[in-house]
Amino acid sequence: YRDRVFGYEKALKELGLFSHRDLVCWGGPWFEEGAARLKRMLSKNITAITGASDCLVHGAVEVFRSWGISVPEGISAVGLGGSSSPEDRYSMLTTMRVDWEEMGRQAALRLLMRIEGSGNEDVKLRIPAELVVKNSCRELKGGEKIKERKPVG
């Protein structure tokens, strides 16, 4: 996930914005731990979240809703993965669609090359992703501030 954080920081820099390390949250596998981290993030008056997977961000959206915070009116959310099924529970989530099949194909090819002895060097591959805008983000107009939130829990 470090490459994703690096990409986030690089994109902010290219836009002339500052990266705030205290806004990057490394989570654990437990729901309660994730909810506690979300609560701490909300105290920083954030306007949006993103996460390492659609599933993770969907969980955050459900926690926000249980706290009375609507998406996208109260907070925007962007996932990563890009499930293509319109019936699934992530259908409203703006996401970065990743070509998992191509990623797997490239990983298998690199593994076979190493087994055969022709691929010993470390290679970084960039698999293109596509932003799929749905219903979990809203645009903040120039200078617009988010509404004050009541403290959670």
Side-chain angles (χ1 to χ4, degrees):
Y1 298 111
R2 294 190 200 305
D3 284 346
R4 294 176 187 174
V5 172
F6 175 73
Y8 154 79
E9 291 172 340
K10 182 179 175 191
L12 288 177
K13 186 175 182 179
E14 288 172 0
L15 293 169
L17 302 172
F18 295 101
S19 171
H20 298 279
R21 281 284 172 150
D22 62 327
L23 295 179
V24 176
C25 176
W26 298 97
W30 309 111
F31 178 85
E32 293 79 12
E33 180 182 348
R37 288 176 188 265
L38 284 175
K39 190 181 291 188
R40 282 196 299 276
M41 295 302 282
L42 283 176
S43 71
K44 299 174 189 290
N45 214 21
I46 60 173
T47 60
I49 64 155
T50 187
S53 71
D54 286 345
C55 182
L56 181 69
V57 174
H58 178 75
V61 167
E62 292 302 314
V63 169
F64 290 139
R65 287 182 177 155
S66 75
W67 291 339
I69 300 169
S70 63
V71 173
E73 295 80 10
I75 193 163
S76 294
V78 179
L80 176 70
S83 175
S84 58
S85 170
E87 300 88 35
D88 77 29
R89 61 180 154 180
Y90 313 126
S91 63
M92 59 75 70
L93 191 62
T94 295
T95 187
M96 289 300 298
R97 181 177 293 144
V98 176
D99 188 343
W100 298 113
E101 187 175 320
E102 180 62 21
M103 190 178 292
R105 186 177 5 266
Q106 291 295 328
L109 178 63
R110 299 290 175 246
L111 178 61
L112 289 173
M113 289 171 65
R114 283 206 168 179
I115 290 169
E116 294 170 354
S118 63
N120 293 330
E121 74 283 347
D122 286 332
V123 176
K124 283 195 175 187
L125 296 174
R126 303 232 186 257
I127 307 294
E130 171 192 7
L131 178 63
V132 180
V133 179
K134 295 189 183 174
N135 300 317
S136 63
C137 292
R138 75 177 184 98
E139 181 180 349
L140 292 177
K141 308 296 181 198
E144 179 184 357
K145 303 282 187 199
I146 61 170
K147 296 176 186 167
E148 287 292 318
R149 291 190 191 100
K150 296 176 187 170
V152 176

